[in-house]
Each structure stands twice: as structure tokens, then as C-alpha cells.
Amino acid sequence: MNQRQTVPTHTPYYGSSKLFTIGLKPLDPDRWIEVDDHLLPYLAEKRRLYAEIPERVFVEEDGTRDAQREVLDLLAEHLPTHFPQTHRRTSNGIEVVGADGNSDSGIGAGEFGDAPLVAASLLVQEDLVIMRRDESGWRLVAGSLCFPSSWSLIEKFGRPLQEIHAPVPGFGPGTRPAELINRMFDGLQGQAVERYNWSIQSGNALYHPLSDVQRIDRATNRPSRFPDGDINAHAFIRVERQTLRKLPTSRDILFTIRIHLDPLRVLAGHHDRAALAVSFAAQLKTLDLAQLDYKGMTSDRDRLVAVLNHMASDA
């Protein structure tokens, strides 16, 4: 789908959010959700995915509907207050101005019934994941994930955090980062937090899944994502803005993921493009082989760095 051609909204690769770090920061509740000019295209893409591959983009365990309803209620309270131009209250609840399906769900009721998390997901550009604590840790018990960043919702469904993060270099079971993340989840109370993650992909697809098997194959064979060598034409920066907040009644944790996609070439229009490109390149150069394999950049890192260095020198 078409994405912005202007200056990026978030630039965590400037050095504010380094890869393979936890990097959680307090979040102003007023900034919980982001809405921009791509709201309607994002929601249309979600509806397409629900219609074509519903089993890959929505999962739920029995007993999670009350927590799902909490998410929907929180959004119904937050959105019309902070975004009255795009979200309004109606006799039926809340609707997005100009969106298809406001008067009818438009999604197969046979697939989802009346899952509140699906309704919630069609109000925002964010993906929505619910984590629940039990004896095995914090598990993924429900989720609407239409825009995965190289992972599979089906594979992670029902699994605890330490297993979900097992493929991430340095974050596997028994590592200090894995233990810290569990403690942070346990300690999360009224204060919401946010973090950023980022990567490079070829093309502008929002739906960008990857199974663990595909990840292993990619790390073994290390193919280039840009076989024609034209990084400027095909490279997109994928930024994930992630938030965590504890639901007030269920005490489950809601994990939101907002995807921003920007062509790499738009950095040339940034007011501080030289420093930005230098910092971006420097971060890429610090990644070790395991990290490059995980991000799928092993074969392309040097070419990406060269493009960024050229951008900096032209500033």
C-alpha cells in the first residue's frame, strides 16, 4: 500500500532506540494512540486481511473476552476525546469517520463472532495483543496482528514471553534481558510505557510475516533483499512504536504495535539528514552476525551503509 513520502514521524535509528535493547520509557497517556493521514488505508488493509486470511491475523483463548472488552472500552473513551476529527461516538458505540463498515462489521461473523478485540482493532492503526500471567509466565492469549514485523502470530499464540523472544539474539530463556522483561511486566501498574524497534525491508507491505522455519532458512542462506542492487528504489524503514499498559480490571497487559513505513530515500529530505544518516549507518555497523541474520540484513548491511554515507556526504 502507499506510504508517506515526507519526513518520517519517528527516527529511533538516530540513536534514541538502539536495536536489541529493552529501552522502555514512561508514556504520557495522552500519547497512547497515534492517528495520522493513513488511518483509513490502514483500516482497509486490516479488513482485507481479516477477509482473506483471518486465522493468521486474529487469535483468542477462551476466557479472554472480558479483557478484550476492556481494550475496546479504553479505546472508545480515548479516541473521541483525543481525535474528534476522526473518531466519534454514536448510539452503537464509536465509529471512524469515513471508514467502511461503520454501520456493519463487514467481517465474517462466522470467523470471529463478536470478538471485541477485532472491533477495537478496526478503530486504530495499531495492532493489539493481550498478555496474561500464569504459572508459566506472561503468555500471549489474544491478539489482532495484521502488520507483523517478521514473526508469526500463530506460532507465538499461547506461548510465554521467554519462548516468544527465544529467536532474538541475547533475549532467549535464561538471559538477563529475558529476566528483566518478565520483571517489568510483573511490575507494570498504572504507568504505561513505550519503546521503539526498527528494521529495513524491501517493499512497503504492512503485512510482513515470517515463520521461525523461514527465519532459520534465511539465516542459513543469507539472501539479499535487494537482488537488483537498487536499495534506493526498494528499501523501506520499518519503525515499530510499541506500548504496554496494564488493563485495570483483568490485570492483563495490552501490548500495542504501531507500524510506520518510510522509503529510505526520504531521509534525504530531513533537515538534519547528515547526522541522521551517519548515526543510522553507525548503528548498522555495530550489529554482529547473529543480529544481522535475525534482522535479515547480513547480505545488505554494507550496501545500506554505503547509501547512508553517500546521503550524509551530499548534505
Side-chain angles (χ1 to χ4, degrees), residues 4-312:
R4 66 177 59 80
Q5 298 293 317
T6 56
V7 174
T9 303
H10 300 293
T11 56
Y13 37 86
Y14 208 157
S16 60
S17 298
K18 295 183 179 180
L19 294 176
F20 302 101
T21 60
I22 298 173
L24 287 173
K25 299 175 182 177
L27 171 65
D28 179 349
D30 290 343
R31 296 181 49 251
W32 175 38
I33 297 297
E34 292 187 335
V35 173
D36 63 22
D37 292 342
H38 297 287
L39 174 63
L40 296 184
Y42 272 55
L43 298 187
E45 179 68 355
K46 285 188 177 186
R47 287 188 173 276
R48 182 187 72 81
L49 293 165
Y50 279 137
E52 296 180 7
I53 51 170
E55 72 287 348
R56 299 184 192 176
V57 296
F58 179 72
V59 295
E60 62 174 341
E61 286 188 359
D62 292 340
T64 62
R65 287 290 177 96
D66 287 346
Q68 293 182 44
R69 173 59 62 177
E70 279 190 84
V71 176
L72 181 57
D73 290 345
L74 285 171
L75 288 171
E77 179 181 353
H78 180 88
L79 293 169
T81 300
H82 293 85
F83 304 103
Q85 294 82 14
T86 55
H87 294 79
R88 62 191 174 199
R89 293 184 176 91
T90 70
S91 58
N92 295 323
I94 182 174
E95 68 178 18
V96 179
V97 176
D100 292 337
N102 275 326
S103 60
D104 183 324
S105 73
I107 336 177
E111 293 287 353
F112 301 119
D114 55 352
L117 199 63
V118 171
S121 76
L122 291 172
L123 297 174
V124 294
Q125 290 161 264
E126 283 82 355
D127 282 326
L128 307 170
V129 173
I130 296 175
M131 307 293 295
R132 176 168 291 175
R133 188 74 157 91
D134 64 17
E135 64 279 358
S136 66
W138 288 94
R139 293 190 308 107
L140 196 167
V141 295
S144 165
L145 186 79
C146 292
F147 309 141
S149 297
S150 298
W151 60 287
S152 164
L153 179 62
I154 297 172
E155 289 183 359
K156 307 303 182 184
F157 180 41
R159 296 170 64 179
L161 276 173
Q162 59 267 28
E163 293 183 16
I164 290 174
H165 290 147
V168 183
F171 282 74
T175 62
R176 186 170 182 274
E179 293 175 1
L180 284 174
I181 291 173
N182 272 298
R183 289 178 196 168
M184 289 174 182
F185 271 61
D186 287 339
L188 191 64
Q189 298 300 328
Q191 175 64 61
V193 295
E194 70 176 343
R195 71 181 295 270
Y196 290 86
N197 193 16
W198 53 272
S199 57
I200 300 287
Q201 70 180 53
S202 179
N204 63 350
L206 284 167
Y207 179 67
H208 198 265
L210 190 70
S211 71
D212 286 344
V213 171
Q214 289 173 316
R215 187 182 299 283
I216 292 170
D217 178 70
R218 187 179 69 179
T220 301
N221 296 308
R222 297 171 181 158
S224 171
R225 294 190 182 186
F226 312 101
D228 64 358
D230 194 346
I231 288 178
N232 274 326
H234 304 300
F236 279 73
I237 310 166
R238 187 181 185 98
V239 171
E240 300 170 64
R241 178 182 181 264
Q242 305 170 356
T243 77
L244 294 166
R245 64 182 295 176
K246 185 158 282 187
L247 298 175
T249 302
S250 66
R251 310 306 290 167
D252 294 339
I253 287 179
L254 173 64
F255 177 41
T256 75
I257 312 163
R258 170 64 201 279
I259 301 300
H260 293 268
L261 276 175
D262 297 289
L264 182 65
R265 61 181 178 272
V266 304
L267 295 188
H270 196 278
H271 70 277
D272 199 15
R273 63 184 180 275
L276 184 59
V278 167
S279 176
F280 200 157
Q283 291 204 56
L284 290 176
K285 287 190 286 188
T286 66
L287 299 180
D288 62 29
L289 183 59
Q291 293 168 337
L292 287 169
D293 281 345
Y294 180 80
K295 287 291 187 179
M297 293 192 290
T298 316
S299 296
D300 298 310
R301 189 261 304 271
D302 291 346
R303 283 193 287 170
L304 286 165
V305 167
V307 169
L308 291 165
N309 287 338
H310 185 267
M311 191 181 297

